[in-house]
Amino acid sequence: MNVDAFLREIEAQHGYQGQVVHVHDVAQREAQYAEPAEPLHPAVKAALEAEGITRLYSHQVTAVDAIRRGENVVVVTGTASGKTLCYNIPVLERLLEDPRAKAFYLFPTKALAQDQLRVLNRWKETDPSLPVEAGTFDGDTPRDLRRKLRDQGNVILTNPDMLHTGILPNHSRWSDFFAQLRFVVLDEIHTYRGVFGSQVAAVMRRLRRICEHYSADPQFVCCSATIANPDELARALIGKPVTLVDNDGSPSGPRKFVLWNPPFTDEGKMERRSPNTEAQRLMTALIKEHIPTITFVRARVVAELLYRYVQNNLMKGSPRLAGAVRAYRGGYLPEERREIEQKLFNGELLGVTTTTALELGIDIGSLDACIIVGYPGSVASTLQQAGRAGRREEEALVILIAQNTPIDQYLMQHPEYFFGQTPEHAIVDPHNPHIAAAHLRCAAAELPVTAADEEAFGEYTPALMEILEEGGEVTRQRDRWYWRGRSYPARDINLRNMDENNYLIQDEGNDNAVIGMVDEYSAFTLLHDQAIYMHRGETYFVNRLDLSRKVAYVERGDFDYYTQAIDRTDIKIDEVEESKRWRVSEVNFGAVTVTTLVYMFRKIKFFSRDSVGFGNLDLPTRELQTTALWIIPPAAALARVREFQRIPEDGLLGIANVASAVLPLFVMCDPLDLGSLVDSSQTGSATIFLFDRYPGGLGLVEKGYELIDQVMEACLLLIRECGCDEGCPSCVGSPLPGYQAGSDQDTRGKIPDKEAARCILHDLLELEPYVPKPPSRQRRELIEQGPTAGAPAAAAAEKRSARPRKRLPEGVERRIRERLNKLKERRERGPSDGR
């Protein structure tokens, strides 16, 4: 496409108000080739030449040589750089030398496995004598083919989920395969972070102990998009040393990367036009020019909204093109996703709105433009999404549309930060006790657990095995624990979600057909009574959310609004694990219990985003045992804020909001993986809390505890650079509504205060004191209404707990016991409708 011509056309249109704030040219990169230390096997060389490959890139040669030496390898190069050859070549060479050798190829999605199977099949079609018997082994594989692959296959392409539930628990049937297993390939390991990555790390430990049982010691080959700590991540996943290969020698075409900031909509310059509105205009314009476009959004509902907006726009002037756009996201049934993937690959679709579900490297054909709505939360994810366009030598266009949030606006003002930033760290915690407990159940059912397994599953292993023994699931004989449970424990674990409660979505207007499935928190926020649920661009009204059957009953209808849930959060300190003096403040890290209540929802008009009503909800609270860091500012810093007629808690709320947005710049996670709040009930003084939104924590805020100085400096820089006066969503965040679940909880709400935040941060960082501007009349009126009411009286009265811990933190142990009891009750009750 002619990117410059398209941008000139957009800038000349009515409604353009200078949204293009920066254009970064990514130059074309020439290929760098090399020769392996030893010549390729003649059959491999011939297969490559049949594909038109006569030379190898430098990183491919480095990886092949290292794998030939018997090393575990992690390959980190750009999108479409030929990473698959890094493992296909040595695997094929080993098969030619030893036809009995086996390999597992693990991909995070079924679609990627199918994509790579096509590559292997092409090689086999080119030379039928190649000893490759490959196939995908997943939930879609017919039973007869599964047995054939297990007995006759030598390259099994699967995913961690199937390895976890279908292969490891049945390892005795795979004994010949495991005995000859020589390679385990983990592709796209940058996706294995957070909960998913920690679960996959536990599965890898179970895999290794089974391999050892069959006297096998396979090599691991990991591939990743660019991240800051690929070797550290690979080591954490597989539990073994790795050799890093990052000398990317692949070529790439030119690309223009545009930073697009929606214009202000008010004179006070606090509100900006919706990024979704900007995206629909840009995407519509691109599709009208027949430019294949992919648009990434942050949430499922936004993917559906944008699809609806673009389709409506196209129907007005180009109805034929309206059918060439689809939405694609998690929650669709597998057959729906496969259909969309195939249409994209065949060129039947010109546009797709998607979540991160299409971020990975599945071949969906040639795309010329990529729109990213909202900073994805990490440089690595942004580059990965941008890499979906421009896979040919022709110039491609990438547009990042900013949201009115602190990080997005900072990147708009400082593009050099993004384009000069090193990608973030990806973090996993394979020894998280909640995760370890679940996988020790699986491990015990596969092979007896011994004291030696403590190295793999962490220091809590003996304590966790005692809990399982008390529950009657294992029995101890000398130094071994043997499985005595009646269940199939692997089925109790969803690798991608630590929430054991999933809710079905049934369409009452279509014979209760199942149209999707979500976890419990998503059900409470997206599928509460009277919610508007979006699916495939259609609006569905939620008639009722059945908590006992875990089913949301919906019915399709035409609605001109959507809904947004509102919740409140309280926190309780369970244990202080680390504490330090940071400059003038006290900073702590430890175990906490976070209680969340979704208590009301807002109705919002399509397009205009006007609020058209509210509704109260009666949902149970959700309790989360996790980890947090908390900062207790000195009393003098808070008192100085009051001297300037401002409320310290409002300044701390602004800092908390910014900190939860800033931390993902240091740790590879989504801002939604973190929570923040300001609370005084636990410490006796207003305190900033940042916490992981996962049971047991995943090390995200622990990294923040280590980097507290850099995090707070980044907070001050972001707040200081914003052009607003009192604070806005671009810096200290949006106002919080008052809690009104009971008559005794009527509050004025909370409005983050930029000036108070700057004043406090200057003191925390021991900088020259900052003198805040006088508060506006609106803020003075809020101050006169009195301080924000705290948590409910019972919660406010709770004091910091200092219970002694012997092995496991008490909250963790209680949660693990509760989960095991739930599983036991579920087994005794048996299956039921809607489960």
Side-chain angles (χ1 to χ4, degrees):
M1 65 175 293
N2 188 330
V3 175
D4 288 333
F6 176 78
L7 291 177
R8 284 196 300 270
E9 181 181 339
I10 290 294
E11 291 172 355
Q13 289 180 358
H14 175 72
Y16 178 77
Q17 299 177 42
Q19 287 96 315
V20 175
V21 296
H22 183 78
V23 178
H24 181 78
D25 286 296
V26 180
Q28 184 169 337
R29 186 179 63 206
E30 300 297 329
Q32 299 292 323
Y33 298 100
E35 292 293 330
E38 297 292 333
L40 297 180
H41 190 287
V44 175
K45 184 178 180 181
L48 291 174
E49 289 175 347
E51 293 278 315
I53 301 171
T54 57
R55 291 192 292 175
L56 297 179
Y57 300 134
S58 55
H59 66 276
Q60 294 170 334
V61 169
T62 303
V64 168
D65 285 344
I67 295 169
R68 284 173 168 178
R69 293 192 298 266
E71 300 168 15
N72 302 304
V73 167
V74 56
V75 181
V76 187
T77 55
T79 306
S81 58
K83 285 189 283 283
T84 56
L85 287 183
C86 294
Y87 53 81
N88 276 337
I89 289 174
V91 167
L92 187 53
E93 287 186 328
R94 178 64 67 86
L95 293 177
L96 287 162
E97 296 168 4
D98 178 11
R100 296 188 63 198
K102 313 288 186 185
F104 271 131
Y105 284 15
L106 302 178
F107 302 94
T109 66
K110 295 179 185 178
L112 274 172
Q114 292 284 353
D115 199 47
Q116 293 305 316
L117 178 61
R118 286 192 285 269
V119 174
L120 292 174
N121 286 341
R122 282 204 310 268
W123 286 29
K124 182 77 171 179
E125 291 168 4
T126 300
D127 182 358
S129 68
L130 290 176
V132 178
E133 298 299 332
T136 56
F137 192 96
D138 54 39
D140 299 333
T141 307
R143 187 171 298 276
D144 290 345
L145 181 55
R146 290 189 187 191
R147 189 179 301 111
K148 181 180 178 181
L149 285 171
R150 184 187 67 211
D151 298 338
Q152 301 176 25
N154 54 18
V155 180
I156 302 297
L157 299 91
T158 186
N159 51 66
D161 313 79
M162 179 54 74
L163 181 67
H164 155 63
T165 58
I167 297 176
L168 297 183
N170 302 299
H171 63 86
S172 59
R173 300 178 185 175
W174 290 77
S175 57
D176 290 341
F177 195 96
F178 278 114
Q180 301 298 326
L181 185 61
R182 298 294 177 261
F183 293 102
V184 177
V185 173
L186 275 171
D187 204 359
E188 307 280 6
I189 67 165
H190 61 282
T191 65
Y192 299 138
R193 61 185 189 267
V195 169
F196 187 28
S198 301
Q199 300 265 32
V200 170
V203 173
M204 291 300 101
R205 282 149 177 75
R206 287 164 48 201
L207 169 63
R208 286 183 55 204
R209 69 196 293 269
I210 287 175
C211 289
E212 185 178 351
H213 176 72
Y214 292 103
S215 302
D217 185 19
Q219 283 179 259
F220 286 81
V221 182
C222 304
C223 295
S224 173
T226 304
I227 56 176
N229 61 332
D231 46 350
E232 179 187 4
L233 175 62
R235 285 196 305 271
L237 287 171
I238 69 175
K240 302 181 76 172
V242 296
T243 297
L244 174 64
V245 176
D246 58 359
N247 56 323
D248 191 348
S250 63
S252 64
R255 181 182 289 115
K256 271 191 167 52
F257 207 119
V258 177
L259 299 187
W260 183 285
N261 204 8
F264 287 109
T265 58
D266 64 329
E267 292 183 2
K269 294 189 175 182
M270 292 185 63
E271 294 295 330
R272 292 181 180 271
R273 188 186 294 163
S274 166
N276 300 333
T277 301
E278 301 291 287
Q280 60 146 324
R281 292 176 177 176
L282 288 167
M283 190 174 184
T284 301
L286 286 163
I287 291 173
K288 283 183 176 180
E289 296 290 333
H290 291 80
I291 297 171
T293 303
I294 185 169
T295 299
F296 288 99
V297 297
R298 300 293 305 281
R300 294 177 177 183
V301 66
V302 180
E304 296 288 354
L305 282 170
L306 188 56
Y307 165 49
R308 180 187 178 110
Y309 292 168
V310 172
Q311 196 174 49
N312 287 346
N313 281 354
L314 291 171
M315 284 297 294
K316 297 174 184 176
S318 309
R320 185 179 58 83
L321 295 177
V325 182
R326 291 290 294 273
Y328 182 104
R329 59 171 175 80
Y332 279 7
L333 299 177
E335 53 269 26
E336 292 180 293
R337 293 198 297 270
R338 300 296 89 79
E339 175 198 355
I340 298 169
E341 292 163 5
Q342 193 62 41
K343 287 185 174 181
L344 276 168
F345 182 80
N346 294 337
E348 297 176 49
L349 295 179
L350 272 174
V352 61
T353 62
T354 182
T355 58
T356 55
L358 276 180
E359 182 177 309
L360 302 181
I362 177 176
D363 190 353
I364 53 174
S366 298
L367 298 167
D368 293 330
C370 172
I371 299 172
I372 304 171
V373 183
Y375 180 57
S378 72
V379 173
S381 290
T382 307
L383 296 178
Q384 186 76 1
Q385 292 180 10
R388 298 305 269 152
R391 294 194 167 205
R392 301 173 299 184
E393 293 184 2
E394 188 177 344
E395 188 176 33
L397 171 65
V398 179
I399 302 176
L400 172 60
I401 304 176
Q403 293 181 326
N404 204 14
T405 60
I407 290 300
D408 288 47
Q409 290 304 312
Y410 179 78
L411 293 177
M412 293 296 116
Q413 297 167 27
H414 298 275
E416 72 282 355
Y417 176 88
F418 174 79
F419 294 108
Q421 171 76 350
T422 301
E424 304 79 2
H425 291 75
I427 289 181
V428 297
D429 182 10
H431 297 158
N432 176 301
H434 295 266
I435 292 173
H439 286 276
L440 279 168
R441 296 178 71 241
C442 301
E446 291 156 3
L447 292 169
V449 174
T450 69
D453 290 315
E454 182 175 341
E455 181 180 352
F457 293 99
E459 60 183 350
Y460 291 133
T461 297
L464 292 170
M465 294 310 298
E466 288 180 14
I467 293 175
L468 296 179
E469 186 177 12
E470 291 172 12
E473 294 200 308
V474 300
T475 182
R476 185 170 185 172
Q477 298 181 17
R478 296 185 179 179
D479 62 343
R480 294 177 174 236
W481 282 277
Y482 293 84
W483 179 249
R484 289 293 179 266
R486 297 181 180 179
S487 68
Y488 187 69
R491 289 178 180 165
D492 297 329
I493 305 173
N494 180 346
L495 296 187
R496 298 165 194 260
N497 191 341
M498 290 176 72
D499 192 337
E500 63 265 28
N501 297 317
N502 288 317
Y503 284 66
L504 294 177
I505 307 169
Q506 295 185 358
D507 182 1
E508 290 190 301
N510 187 24
D511 297 326
N512 280 327
V514 175
I515 63 172
M517 183 172 65
V518 298
D519 59 63
E520 186 169 74
Y521 182 73
S522 296
F524 283 13
T525 55
L526 299 177
L527 292 161
H528 53 77
D529 291 357
Q530 302 182 57
I532 300 298
Y533 180 69
M534 301 288 296
H535 181 74
R536 299 192 70 171
E538 300 289 345
T539 51
Y540 290 79
F541 184 82
V542 180
N543 292 323
R544 68 187 185 283
L545 179 63
D546 191 322
L547 301 179
S548 60
R549 294 171 63 88
K550 293 182 171 53
V551 179
Y553 296 97
V554 304
E555 192 167 2
R556 191 168 70 86
D558 293 324
F559 301 93
D560 61 354
Y561 69 93
Y562 60 98
T563 52
Q564 183 181 74
I566 301 172
D567 61 19
R568 71 165 281 121
T569 302
D570 296 307
I571 197 164
K572 176 176 175 292
I573 297 172
D574 295 324
E575 181 180 20
V576 179
E577 297 179 16
E578 295 184 52
S579 183
K580 65 183 178 183
R581 191 72 181 172
W582 168 64
R583 296 182 182 269
V584 297
S585 303
E586 178 187 339
V587 183
N588 299 275
F589 171 80
V592 299
T593 297
V594 178
T595 305
T596 303
L597 172 66
V598 179
Y599 64 93
M600 67 186 301
F601 65 93
R602 177 186 290 116
K603 298 178 181 179
I604 303 171
K605 273 274 202 181
F606 283 127
F607 301 104
S608 70
R609 296 191 300 157
D610 292 335
S611 180
V612 294
F614 292 84
N616 291 321
L617 296 172
D618 184 19
L619 290 169
T621 58
R622 299 184 79 252
E623 196 173 86
L624 171 69
Q625 280 85 33
T626 185
T627 55
L629 74 83
W630 56 99
I631 306 169
I632 307 175
L638 304 184
R640 211 170 75 81
V641 173
R642 294 190 187 95
E643 292 176 4
F644 295 100
Q645 301 181 38
R646 292 183 179 271
I647 299 175
E649 289 78 6
D650 289 353
L652 294 175
L653 177 62
I655 297 172
N657 289 341
V658 176
S660 63
V662 161
L663 189 54
L665 293 177
F666 300 91
V667 180
M668 192 173 178
C669 68
D670 191 290
L672 297 177
D673 294 336
L674 303 166
S676 66
L677 75 159
V678 174
D679 181 88
S680 59
S681 67
Q682 298 298 292
T683 63
S685 176
T687 302
I688 298 170
F689 286 86
L690 295 177
F691 58 88
D692 287 1
R693 287 191 180 273
Y694 296 105
L698 290 172
L700 305 177
V701 297
E702 185 174 11
K703 191 72 175 179
Y705 176 83
E706 297 172 9
L707 302 174
I708 189 65
D709 204 62
Q710 295 95 310
V711 171
M712 288 296 109
E713 286 177 349
C715 288
L716 177 58
L717 181 63
L718 194 152
I719 293 173
R720 187 177 64 207
E721 294 291 325
C722 186
C724 69
D725 292 326
E726 293 277 343
C728 69
S730 296
C731 57
V732 292
S734 301
L736 300 180
Y739 180 60
Q740 298 173 347
S743 59
D744 59 335
Q745 299 304 320
D746 185 21
T747 78
R748 67 167 175 85
K750 301 178 182 179
I751 301 181
D753 187 342
K754 173 183 178 178
E755 290 294 292
R758 287 187 69 176
C759 183
I760 293 170
L761 282 170
H762 271 253
D763 287 354
L764 299 188
L765 291 165
E766 297 182 299
L767 301 174
E768 183 179 346
Y770 176 74
V771 178
K773 303 172 186 175
S776 64
R777 185 181 65 180
Q778 179 189 21
R779 189 168 291 278
R780 286 199 304 271
E781 290 173 352
L782 288 171
I783 293 173
E784 291 169 1
Q785 293 176 24
T788 302
E798 292 192 37
K799 301 299 181 183
R800 180 167 169 172
S801 173
R803 296 185 296 270
R805 297 295 192 274
K806 295 182 180 179
R807 295 185 297 264
L808 287 165
E810 184 174 319
V812 172
E813 182 172 338
R814 175 168 59 85
R815 178 61 175 160
I816 290 172
R817 291 182 186 278
E818 288 175 353
R819 178 168 182 154
L820 293 175
N821 288 335
K822 281 185 180 180
L823 293 173
K824 184 177 180 181
E825 292 172 3
R826 188 180 302 171
R827 293 194 298 272
E828 293 173 350
R829 184 171 58 243
S832 62
D833 293 339
R835 296 258 175 190

